Amino acid sequence: MKRFLNAMVTFLVLAAMVLSFTAPVHAVSDGTDEGAPIVVYGEALSDSQKQEVTELLEVTDPDAVEEYTVTGEDIANYIDGDPNSNMYSSAKIVREEEGNGLTINIVTPDNITEVTKEMYANALLTAGVENATVDVASPVQVTGSSALTGIYKAYDAEGEQLDKARMELANDELNVATDLSEKEGLNQEKVTELLADIKQAIADQNPATKEDIEQIVEEQLNNLEISLSEEDRQMLIDLFDRMRDLDINFDNVKEQLDDIASKVQDLVNDEGFWDKVENFFSNLLNMLSNFLESVFN
């Protein structure tokens, strides 16, 4: 009996080790320094869908968050969009302290079909949203574009008004990104890299004319060996020429985007980390093998 109890204790310890290693770790700010977390629900959600989104966004205490609903009228108000749009994409925003950067989490990647977290980051930084953790979710398949409007409404409702011209430009940037990512030979990562590189070049060169923008776009297309139609090239030139006229800190935008990319890249490139993973499971299998042998022998 004592031997069996010792074996059971060993088993429970091993199980706890596995769960602690494999369970996702969420670094969540409670927003006490920068205000309560904000949750914006799409107006088209049914009651059951809203409950599902609430769980997806890990809203365990509704009284501890500021809650809003984003509507088709909001799309018309913030980005001159279609007021008849069906709003399903929802978001939770936790504003962080200065210097923490912008972190985007797509909670339902299978249902956000066209917009990547890097695209969201690109567009939100253009709109002026910085230093925040943003979780995006939808219970049904959507492009994901309308989630931006909900985020804009959240900031507006909390008294942090964003410039409408920048919001409209950010929405157009997201549309350009999704359009280009559907082109043959391009993927979402390549498009995101292109947009970020063009912004960095604008920051470095401070172009004074549309012709300067055209040259920057051509240079970055060549650097990344991307071939576009004349129509798509012009679409990029027009977009960034509008961006040139706005008061945007492109250096800060690129810095935050680099920070987002580097966190993922550091983990992938950290051979020591993966060696530790391999060693852990190798040791775990040996321990389990010894445990089973002790029980049945």
Side-chain angles (χ1 to χ4, degrees):
M1 182 66 178
K2 183 177 180 181
R3 183 180 179 184
F4 177 76
L5 289 175
N6 288 336
M8 286 302 298
V9 170
T10 304
F11 176 79
L12 291 173
V13 169
L14 290 172
M17 290 172 64
V18 172
L19 290 174
S20 66
F21 190 90
T22 58
V25 178
H26 301 283
V28 179
S29 166
D30 63 6
T32 53
D33 292 330
E34 297 297 323
I38 307 164
V39 180
V40 188
Y41 294 102
E43 182 186 37
L45 296 174
S46 66
D47 290 341
S48 62
Q49 288 173 332
K50 182 178 178 180
Q51 180 58 37
E52 179 183 352
V53 170
T54 298
E55 295 172 1
L56 287 168
L57 295 177
E58 299 184 355
V59 180
T60 56
D61 183 3
D63 293 333
V65 302
E66 298 291 338
E67 180 180 318
Y68 300 98
T69 300
V70 61
T71 69
E73 292 181 1
D74 291 322
I75 281 190
N77 178 39
Y78 290 104
I79 58 173
D80 288 336
D82 183 2
N84 298 314
S85 300
N86 290 321
M87 309 293 288
Y88 287 98
S89 301
S90 303
K92 181 174 73 174
I93 305 104
V94 177
R95 289 165 294 176
E96 309 287 1
E97 293 182 352
E98 186 72 27
N100 282 348
L102 182 61
T103 301
I104 311 295
N105 303 307
I106 298 181
V107 182
T108 55
D110 291 339
N111 285 342
I112 306 296
T113 61
E114 292 187 8
V115 184
T116 66
K117 62 182 181 180
E118 292 82 10
M119 290 179 182
Y120 276 125
N122 240 327
L124 287 172
L125 289 170
T126 296
V129 176
E130 301 177 10
N131 300 305
T133 298
V134 179
D135 297 337
V136 180
S138 173
V140 298
Q141 287 198 340
V142 292
T143 64
S145 300
S146 61
L148 284 182
T149 304
I151 297 167
Y152 300 156
K153 180 172 184 175
Y155 273 78
D156 190 15
E158 292 295 307
E160 191 171 339
Q161 190 171 5
L162 303 173
D163 182 79
K164 184 172 182 177
R166 287 183 63 163
M167 289 188 288
E168 291 177 353
L169 181 60
N171 186 71
D172 290 344
E173 177 183 349
L174 193 62
N175 290 335
V176 167
T178 54
D179 285 347
L180 290 179
S181 65
E182 295 173 355
K183 304 294 182 181
E184 184 176 355
L186 281 179
N187 56 38
Q188 294 167 325
E189 291 75 15
K190 199 76 169 178
V191 170
T192 300
E193 183 180 9
L194 172 63
L195 298 181
D197 286 354
I198 292 175
K199 288 178 181 177
Q200 183 58 56
I202 292 175
D204 293 339
Q205 300 178 31
N206 192 25
T209 66
K210 188 171 184 176
E211 288 71 24
D212 294 334
I213 290 291
E214 182 174 2
Q215 182 176 348
I216 287 174
V217 169
E218 291 293 336
E219 288 174 351
Q220 299 310 315
L221 288 171
N222 291 333
N223 289 343
L224 296 175
E225 298 181 347
I226 295 175
S227 178
L228 295 178
S229 67
E230 185 59 37
E231 180 182 0
D232 288 335
R233 287 171 184 262
Q234 193 60 51
M235 179 172 61
L236 277 176
I237 293 168
D238 291 342
L239 174 74
F240 284 101
D241 187 51
R242 289 169 57 200
M243 208 171 281
R244 175 181 62 87
D245 291 333
L246 297 179
D247 184 21
I248 298 177
N249 187 334
F250 285 97
D251 281 323
N252 193 42
V253 168
K254 186 62 166 62
E255 179 183 343
Q256 293 202 39
L257 287 173
D258 283 345
D259 183 58
I260 293 169
S262 66
K263 289 177 181 177
V264 178
Q265 198 62 42
D266 286 347
L267 181 60
V268 172
N269 292 337
D270 186 355
E271 294 181 3
F273 171 82
W274 294 113
D275 287 341
K276 292 175 185 176
V277 173
E278 183 179 358
N279 291 336
F280 172 84
F281 281 106
S282 177
N283 293 334
L284 179 61
L285 288 174
N286 289 334
M287 293 173 67
L288 286 173
S289 177
N290 293 335
F291 162 71
L292 293 174
E293 184 177 353
S294 69
V295 171
F296 295 106
N297 290 340

